[in-house]
Amino acid sequence: MKMSFIGGVLAGAIVGSALTMVVDPISDKQRRKMYRGAQTMFKTIGSVLDAVTMK
């Protein structure tokens, strides 16, 4: 149950960010900065999920 909630939150965040990018276009510099931030965010989320599932 906990993992389905986390999956739902992640899916909502991804869909929401995609819709925001379609509705509010941004410059190339901002896009690159967001891409680097997203990479860091997903690495952190992956590390947390690994730690949770390892027990």
Side-chain angles (χ1 to χ4, degrees):
M1 176 124 162
K2 190 182 235 185
M3 294 303 286
S4 64
F5 174 75
I6 293 171
V9 170
L10 288 175
I14 292 169
V15 170
S17 63
L19 286 174
T20 301
M21 296 204 47
V22 168
V23 172
D24 186 26
I26 56 176
S27 71
D28 288 336
K29 184 178 179 179
Q30 289 173 323
R31 185 175 292 119
R32 285 191 303 267
K33 187 176 181 180
M34 284 179 56
Y35 180 72
R36 284 188 299 239
Q39 284 180 331
T40 304
M41 178 183 67
F42 283 116
K43 283 181 185 177
T44 304
I45 290 171
S47 298
V48 169
L49 288 175
D50 285 343
V52 169
T53 56
M54 297 272 292
K55 292 184 183 182

